[in-house]
Amino acid sequence: MREELDKDLEEEIEPREMNPTEYRLLTLLFNFFRFPDGLTLTSLRKIMEGFYDNENKDSDRRKLSRDIEELGALGFPIKYYPQKNGKDYVYVLTKDPLVRTLKFSEEELREISALLLKGYSETPKYELYTASRKIFARDLEYFPELKESPEDPKEEAGEAAFQILDALKNKSPIRIRYYKTFPEDAYWKEADPIRLIRKGGQDHYLLAYDREEKSKKRFILPKILTVEVLQGDLLYQARGAKKETEEDRIVHAALFPVHEAKLVEWVCREEGLVKAKLFLTGLPYEEKENTLRFRSTNLEGLLPFLWRWPDALESLEPVELRTVLQESLKEIGELYDSIKGK
């Protein structure tokens, strides 16, 4: 047996010399291991002389930011915390709390899913549904199979969600009761379900073929009130002119067809660049240093980022986007004042 294993071994990998970037990243990582309490850019410029020694400190800060992003992509997440003096940040290598893997039986997974979806059906919250998705590795195929039985949890837990999952698995057409703004304005749609799409950790959509309008549409999952499984075969064909494309999976609100495409430019602060790029996930953009350029057909879809991280950007274009932001903040202020007055 030992000889057979030896025969299967590949030849030794020929080592090659590291390029300057790889050498810098490895040295940076080892320094974070040496100093678990964190490092500032000032201290890094001292202990990594030759790597971060540009006369312009901001240039070194940008280089460090790119290096930290690269280490994060390799599985070494590094967070930064502002100092009291406000002039420097402490960068700390974070420990992954999920290093230890939890293992569940199929029965346990089924029960966890049922409880999460039951809570979701009683009090619709993104967190409950996304928690269920995360447990199953963000992949529909990881949801446990639910078998019909007297104790089937469908009646108790997330009726609509379970019916959609079954329709996807069985390739059955459905009739859904759906609303865009207010539940009392809900209407019925007949559709062929294609797939569930997840955006970030918050939004879930059902990509489906609208049988009446003969086109593919995305339905926000929590806004589907009722699902009825229909008899017959799907009208949607996975191949041909109506086949699914990569564009069908884009669910970024900034790409919803509200107006003609407008060029947007964000000049980001160093600490806000990563946040901006994460927010734009799924939306094609061009990056040059700290500037991001992209096209949007729904400027209002960018507001959640601008509300949450107003200090992430140094400037933004076009003027119309600034106007939309100012008007939205004014409306929020007026609404707050009216509530406070009561």
Side-chain angles (χ1 to χ4, degrees), residues 293-309:
R293 293 187 181 89
F294 54 92
R295 293 188 177 275
S296 170
T297 52
N298 179 25
L299 293 179
E300 290 188 359
L302 302 171
L303 291 178
F305 177 83
L306 301 176
W307 290 334
R308 186 173 182 181
W309 289 295

Side-chain angles (χ1 to χ4, degrees), residues 219-237:
F219 299 94
I220 301 174
L221 205 59
K223 294 189 176 185
I224 299 176
L225 301 177
T226 310
V227 178
E228 296 179 359
V229 178
L230 302 176
Q231 299 298 320
D233 298 326
L234 299 178
L235 299 180
Y236 172 75
Q237 300 296 323

Side-chain angles (χ1 to χ4, degrees), residues 71 120 122 180 239 254 327:
L71 287 178
Y120 173 80
E122 293 174 350
K180 290 185 177 180
R239 298 181 179 180
E327 291 177 351

Side-chain angles (χ1 to χ4, degrees), residues 25 28-33 38-39 44 52 64-73 75-81 90-95 274:
L25 287 173
L28 178 61
L29 180 60
F30 282 161
N31 276 310
F32 277 118
F33 286 143
L39 291 162
L44 280 170
Y52 303 104
L64 177 60
S65 179
R66 291 192 295 270
D67 289 347
I68 286 176
E69 186 177 350
E70 185 70 25
L71 287 178
F76 300 98
I78 297 168
K79 293 185 177 180
Y80 59 89
Y81 304 92
V90 176
Y91 299 89
V92 181
L93 177 65
T94 61
K95 296 180 180 179
V274 174

Side-chain angles (χ1 to χ4, degrees), residues 31-280:
N31 276 310
F32 277 118
F33 286 143
R34 287 177 57 204
F35 302 97
D37 292 333
L39 291 162
T40 64
L41 177 59
T42 300
S43 58
L44 280 170
R45 283 163 64 93
K46 291 180 180 178
I47 64 177
M48 291 186 63
E49 188 176 354
F51 294 101
Y52 303 104
D53 56 0
N54 196 298
E55 293 182 4
N56 186 344
K57 192 173 182 179
D58 286 339
S59 178
D60 275 346
R61 193 183 304 279
R62 286 192 291 270
K63 182 194 291 186
L64 177 60
S65 179
R66 291 192 295 270
D67 289 347
I68 286 176
E69 186 177 350
E70 185 70 25
L71 287 178
L74 294 172
F76 300 98
I78 297 168
K79 293 185 177 180
Y80 59 89
Y81 304 92
Q83 293 280 70
K84 290 183 179 179
N85 58 21
K87 296 181 179 180
D88 213 341
Y89 293 89
V90 176
Y91 299 89
V92 181
L93 177 65
T94 61
K95 296 180 180 179
D96 187 356
L98 300 178
V99 171
R100 296 180 180 178
T101 302
L102 293 176
K103 294 184 178 180
F104 297 93
S105 67
E106 182 179 340
E107 194 66 32
E108 289 172 329
L109 289 173
R110 186 184 297 118
E111 292 299 323
I112 292 172
S113 177
L115 289 172
L116 286 170
L117 290 174
K118 178 182 179 182
Y120 173 80
S121 64
E122 293 174 350
T123 307
K125 290 184 178 180
Y126 285 123
E127 291 79 7
L128 289 172
Y129 197 85
T130 54
S132 181
R133 290 299 304 233
K134 289 174 183 176
I135 286 176
F136 301 110
R138 304 176 184 176
D139 191 315
L140 183 62
E141 280 69 28
Y142 281 77
F143 272 79
E145 278 190 38
L146 297 172
K147 299 179 180 179
E148 298 289 344
S149 69
E151 299 177 359
D152 193 0
K154 286 187 180 182
E155 291 297 324
E156 300 179 2
E159 180 77 16
F162 274 111
Q163 287 182 316
I164 289 174
L165 292 175
D166 279 349
L168 283 165
K169 185 180 76 171
N170 299 323
K171 294 181 171 55
S172 302
I174 56 176
R175 185 169 178 256
I176 62 174
R177 189 162 169 264
Y178 183 77
Y179 72 93
K180 290 185 177 180
T181 307
F182 303 106
E184 53 268 27
D185 297 330
Y187 53 91
W188 288 95
K189 275 283 184 184
E190 290 190 4
D192 295 346
I194 300 173
R195 71 165 60 243
L196 289 178
I197 304 174
R198 176 180 180 276
K199 172 182 175 275
Q202 298 179 344
D203 303 322
H204 290 81
Y205 297 78
L206 170 66
L207 176 65
Y209 180 75
D210 187 320
R211 291 184 148 206
E212 181 182 355
E213 299 185 20
K214 295 180 173 53
S215 62
K216 289 170 288 185
K217 288 189 175 181
R218 291 174 284 261
F219 299 94
I220 301 174
L221 205 59
K223 294 189 176 185
I224 299 176
L225 301 177
T226 310
V227 178
E228 296 179 359
V229 178
L230 302 176
Q231 299 298 320
D233 298 326
L234 299 178
L235 299 180
Y236 172 75
Q237 300 296 323
R239 298 181 179 180
K242 300 293 184 181
K243 67 180 180 181
E244 184 182 357
T245 65
E246 287 297 325
E247 293 180 355
D248 292 328
R249 304 186 189 186
I250 297 176
V251 293
H252 202 291
L255 293 180
F256 289 174
V258 176
H259 51 67
E260 71 276 7
K262 299 180 185 295
L263 180 63
V264 178
E265 180 178 287
W266 285 357
V267 179
C268 306
R269 302 184 191 279
E270 290 181 21
E271 60 275 15
L273 180 60
V274 174
K275 294 177 181 177
K277 290 167 68 175
L278 286 174
F279 175 79
L280 296 176

